[in-house]
């Protein structure tokens, strides 16, 4: 019934999306469309350039994506994506803003050139595209160097953007373009297998199909992601070739990792921030809607301070900006506190064990574990564990579930774990992926046949599974599973339940 109750709100959001589109400035900006850029193999990419109307060179903000740089909103008319993925909080962009890209009207006014590129094989660029490939990384490298060489450029280039426009930043930065000065990957996954196509070894059949269908409508390049996903249930060389070497990234980075995009970007964004080799790196977390947050005042302000520091050389611009911004919420609409931290998880955070008893209560670590079992039917069934919080408690960081499983009548079982918050017996909803509200606090997945652990990588907070082999369950076999649960930052008040 709760899902049915959300349908009218969803339809209303599609009919009247929260994206407000305004006219761009009538003067003061030079706009050059479909400028050809020769890539290293002679293929021509095409870009739109927005820059201040003046003689002085300026630093450059670059974005690159497959969504069509010329698919733009109009005043009074939002894009199709904004209708399909509505936001719970209104936001404003100019009619120059392509999907998930920086708004040229905002950034040119602050003294930057904005370059929006069609990736090879997409939009008006030549060639044949290959999503998430090494070819895209090389092309973005070449685009960075082209931006740096223009007469209107100071030679200092940053990349910025959301989702796929963040994914291309990880890939490009790992190739180390000489003139790439900084990156702002705002919610972008870093491992296609773990973050989207097979989280926990469980095949994702929702967004992947929608995304593939939308890209195939462009009819420019083959879109084989869905086909490869179905053909490749294990993490093989195809996935590895599409995973950037994060340790090679050494440029300053402002990384956004939200708690509201668990089904797509959250895990990879945190992994990206932790894995890059950059000495200058900041982590900005939030639990708001994705695009409303990116285009909002506070986010734009921290992006501007970061760019002033590393593109304009203003040494003091990032003073007072915490290395890690942790936004704690108690429900979808209520921020209880924003913590300024130096590490993630914050220093002093502890992993606190809780044990399950036969009444399905979660008990403190001092309680002795008991043996017992609870059966449930996989389709529509569940096991519910409850911990009533004794005092106000902030749960910050990733969680993990250790559970022993036997599959009867099957040799495998996919587990979906949801951490929910109950207040007076009713679930408290949070912002979730794809514009949905009413999401749980955190989620995790693991297929029992993928239970093998990468012991070397599983030190610390998060269990890591290689997903390179399948180990079916034998009849009567009981196996332990370590399920990684996505990061969150949530206040539970005394008397509320997890």
């Amino acid at each position: 019934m709760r899902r049915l109750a959300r349908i009218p709100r969803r339809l209303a959001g599609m009919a009247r999306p929260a994206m407000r589109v305004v006219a761009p400035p009538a003067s003061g900006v030079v706009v050059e469309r479909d400028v050809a850029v020769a890539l290293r193999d002679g293929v021509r990419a095409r870009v739109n350039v927005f820059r201040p109307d003046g003689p002085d060179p300026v630093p450059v903000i670059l974005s690159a994506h497959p969504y069509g740089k010329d698919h733009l909103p109009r005043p009074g008319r939002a894009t199709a994506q904004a209708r399909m993925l509505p936001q719970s909080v209104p936001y404003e962009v100019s009619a120059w803003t392509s999907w998930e890209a920086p708004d040229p009207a905002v950034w040119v006014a602050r003294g930057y050139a904005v370059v929006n590129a069609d990736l090879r094989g997409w939009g008006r660029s030549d060639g044949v595209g290959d999503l998430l490939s090494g070819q895209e990384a090389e092309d973005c490298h070449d685009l960075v160097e082209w931006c740096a060489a223009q007469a209107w450029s100071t030679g200092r280039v940053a990349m910025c953007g959301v989702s796929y426009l963040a994914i291309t930043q990880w890939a490009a930065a790992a190739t180390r373009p000489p003139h790439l000065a900084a990156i702002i990957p705002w919610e972008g996954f870093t491992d296609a297998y773990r973050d989207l196509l097979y989280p926990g070894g469980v095949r994702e059949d929702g967004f992947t199909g929608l995304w593939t269908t939308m890209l195939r409508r462009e009819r420019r390049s083959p879109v084989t992601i869905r086909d490869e996903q179905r053909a490749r249930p294990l993490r093989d060389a195809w996935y590895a070739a599409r995973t950037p070497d994060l340790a090679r990234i050494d440029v300053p980075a402002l990384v956004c990792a939200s708690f509201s995009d668990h089904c797509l970007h959250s895990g990879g964004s945190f992994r990206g921030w932790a894995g890059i080799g950059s000495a200058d790196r900041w982590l900005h977390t939030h639990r708001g809607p994705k695009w409303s947050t990116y285009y909002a005042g506070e986010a734009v302000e921290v992006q501007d301070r970061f760019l002033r520091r590393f593109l304009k050389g203003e040494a003091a611009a990032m003073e007072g900006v915490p290395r890690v911004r942790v936004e704690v919420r108690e429900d979808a609409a209520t921020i209880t506190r924003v913590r300024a931290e130096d590490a993630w998880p914050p220093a002093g955070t502890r992993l606190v064990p809780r044990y399950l008893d036969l009444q399905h209560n979660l008990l403190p670590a001092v309680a002795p574990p008991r043996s017992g079992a609870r059966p449930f039917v996989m389709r529509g069934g569940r096991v519910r564990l409850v911990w009533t919080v004794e005092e106000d408690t902030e749960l910050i960081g990733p969680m993990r579930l250790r559970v022993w499983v036997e599959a009867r009548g099957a040799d495998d079982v996919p587990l979906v774990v949801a951490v929910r918050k109950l207040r007076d017996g009713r679930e408290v909803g949070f912002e979730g992926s794809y514009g949905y509200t009413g999401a749980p606090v955190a989620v995790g997945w693991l297929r029992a046949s993928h239970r093998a652990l990468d012991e070397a990588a599983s030190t610390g907070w998060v269990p890591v599974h290689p997903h390179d082999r399948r180990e079916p369950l034998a009849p009567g076999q009981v196996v332990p599973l370590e399920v990684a649960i996505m990061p969150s930052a949530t206040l539970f008040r005394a008397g509320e339940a997890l």
Side-chain angles (χ1 to χ4, degrees):
M1 293 301 294
R2 287 186 55 137
R3 292 180 180 177
L4 292 176
R6 295 172 188 161
I7 293 176
R9 295 198 300 270
R10 189 74 178 179
L11 293 175
M14 295 174 71
R16 296 182 297 277
M19 174 190 281
R20 178 173 178 262
V21 185
V22 299
S27 61
V29 181
V30 175
V31 180
E32 300 172 282
R33 299 189 184 275
D34 278 339
V35 179
V37 178
L39 303 174
R40 66 185 67 182
D41 61 356
V43 169
R44 292 186 177 273
R46 288 178 173 79
V47 305
N48 289 343
V49 179
F50 305 82
R51 54 187 177 85
D53 186 3
D56 296 330
V58 292
V60 184
I61 302 172
L62 167 67
S63 63
H65 55 92
Y67 299 134
K69 65 181 178 4
D70 301 308
H71 290 178
L72 300 173
R74 297 199 300 267
R77 184 174 179 180
T79 59
Q81 294 100 323
R83 293 181 181 278
M84 295 179 67
L85 303 169
Q87 300 285 271
S88 58
V89 176
Y91 65 106
E92 181 178 287
V93 296
S94 80
W96 284 338
T97 310
S98 66
W99 182 241
E100 300 185 314
D103 184 344
V106 169
W107 294 106
V108 173
R110 295 175 183 242
Y112 301 90
V114 176
V115 176
N116 190 5
D118 283 330
L119 285 171
R120 174 191 300 252
W122 301 101
R124 296 180 64 84
S125 289
D126 298 341
V128 177
D130 184 7
L131 294 171
L132 306 174
S133 66
Q135 180 67 68
E136 286 190 346
E138 292 180 357
D139 291 349
C140 289
H141 179 121
D142 294 348
L143 287 166
V144 168
E145 295 306 294
W146 179 88
C147 290
Q150 302 312 296
W152 39 261
S153 168
T154 61
R156 299 192 65 76
V157 182
M159 296 185 72
C160 183
V162 184
S163 189
Y164 205 97
L165 290 76
I167 294 167
T168 54
Q169 295 178 57
W170 301 119
T175 71
R176 295 182 173 173
H179 291 90
L180 182 63
I183 56 173
I184 306 179
W186 202 269
E187 301 190 48
F189 68 65
T190 51
D191 187 317
Y193 185 96
R194 291 186 168 95
D195 300 332
L196 171 60
L197 301 179
Y198 281 94
V202 180
R203 194 177 76 188
E204 200 282 334
D205 284 332
F207 178 77
T208 303
L210 174 65
W211 185 47
T212 299
T213 299
M214 292 178 65
L215 285 171
R216 282 177 175 165
R217 291 178 62 189
E218 298 292 323
R219 302 182 187 279
R220 287 289 318 284
S221 292
V223 181
T224 62
I225 292 292
R226 182 65 163 159
D227 301 328
E228 297 287 358
Q229 179 201 37
R230 288 170 168 157
R232 300 176 182 276
L234 298 178
R235 192 176 184 277
D236 60 11
W238 186 87
Y239 294 104
R242 284 158 174 77
T243 303
D245 184 352
L246 297 173
R248 283 187 50 81
I249 298 175
D250 56 5
V251 296
L254 171 62
V255 179
C256 176
S258 81
F259 305 121
S260 47
D261 209 10
H262 284 173
C263 294
L264 186 56
H265 292 306
S266 294
S269 298
F270 280 101
R271 191 185 310 111
W273 177 83
I276 59 178
S278 308
D280 291 308
R281 58 178 180 171
W282 284 261
L283 180 66
H284 185 98
T285 75
H286 70 88
R287 184 120 209 199
K290 183 187 302 180
W291 303 285
S292 298
T293 301
Y294 175 68
Y295 292 108
E298 182 183 356
V300 171
E301 179 61 26
V302 72
Q303 292 167 43
D304 183 45
R305 293 177 68 174
F306 178 77
L307 292 172
R308 282 163 39 207
R309 168 67 181 87
F310 293 105
L311 264 63
K312 295 186 175 182
E314 297 180 20
M318 288 296 282
E319 288 183 3
V321 176
R323 288 286 175 169
V324 179
R325 176 195 189 270
V326 180
E327 181 185 283
V328 184
R329 297 202 181 208
E330 62 175 320
D331 53 47
T334 308
I335 300 173
T336 55
R337 145 159 99 135
V338 175
R339 296 172 50 148
E341 301 288 348
D342 291 322
W344 176 262
T349 302
R350 298 179 297 131
L351 276 174
V352 180
R354 293 267 163 170
Y355 291 97
L356 168 65
D357 71 5
L358 293 179
Q359 287 71 48
H360 286 194
N361 295 310
L362 285 170
L363 303 177
V366 295
R370 300 181 182 181
S371 62
R374 284 287 188 259
F376 69 101
V377 178
M378 278 304 301
R379 186 173 294 278
R382 68 175 181 175
V383 172
R384 187 166 181 256
L385 327 175
V386 180
W387 167 36
T388 300
V389 177
E390 298 86 5
E391 58 184 1
D392 289 4
T393 302
E394 289 182 340
L395 291 184
I396 297 177
M399 290 176 268
R400 62 201 299 175
L401 173 68
R402 176 177 294 170
V403 61
W404 283 258
V405 170
E406 176 191 2
R408 296 179 180 175
D411 66 0
D412 204 355
V413 52
L415 291 188
V416 180
V417 180
V419 175
R420 304 183 185 277
K421 178 179 176 178
L422 303 181
R423 180 184 294 154
D424 299 326
R426 296 177 62 86
E427 184 178 352
V428 176
F430 292 85
E431 192 75 31
S433 300
Y434 317 128
Y436 286 96
T437 54
V441 171
V443 293
W445 307 263
L446 184 62
R447 184 172 287 279
S449 63
H450 287 231
R451 61 190 177 277
L453 281 171
D454 182 336
E455 300 290 351
S458 295
T459 57
W461 295 87
V462 180
V464 178
H465 305 273
H467 301 297
D468 58 358
R469 62 191 181 275
R470 183 175 183 270
E471 298 177 320
L473 277 69
Q477 183 182 13
V478 179
V479 297
L481 307 182
E482 292 272 359
V483 187
I485 300 174
M486 288 287 174
S488 58
T490 308
L491 172 65
F492 284 75
R493 297 195 182 275
E496 294 179 334
L498 178 151

